[in-house]
Amino acid sequence: YCPWHSCAVCASEGKNGKAAVYNCATCTNAYCEEHLPPKDKIKMIRKEYIVCERCMPYYLEELESE
């Protein structure tokens, strides 16, 4: 099990054995499409990268300090 390549909720490695669809850009959490947290709880960075719920407070704090 690798947290960067497996969904943090179901441990799936994504569709057809591919890596989890969305990876947090600041930690090792990853989520398949089915378990991706609601969009108001995360920040989409790029097509496959997010800032996860756990990292959002730190991300927002960093934005405020800029």
Side-chain angles (χ1 to χ4, degrees):
Y1 170 80
C2 171
W4 184 252
H5 295 104
S6 303
C7 175
V9 177
C10 68
S12 165
E13 292 183 2
K15 293 182 179 181
N16 301 321
K18 294 180 183 175
V21 179
Y22 299 97
N23 297 83
C24 182
T26 60
C27 74
T28 59
N29 281 343
Y31 298 93
C32 67
E33 286 188 67
E34 183 177 340
H35 294 110
L36 186 65
K39 299 222 185 280
D40 64 333
K41 305 250 186 226
I42 61 171
K43 171 74 175 162
M44 299 297 293
I45 302 291
R46 286 185 278 175
K47 181 180 176 184
E48 63 214 24
Y49 292 99
I50 63 167
V51 176
C52 72
E53 288 179 275
R54 184 178 74 181
C55 296
M56 272 303 285
Y58 305 108
Y59 177 77
L60 294 173
E61 189 177 288
E62 187 69 28
L63 285 179
E64 290 174 2
S65 69
E66 291 182 352

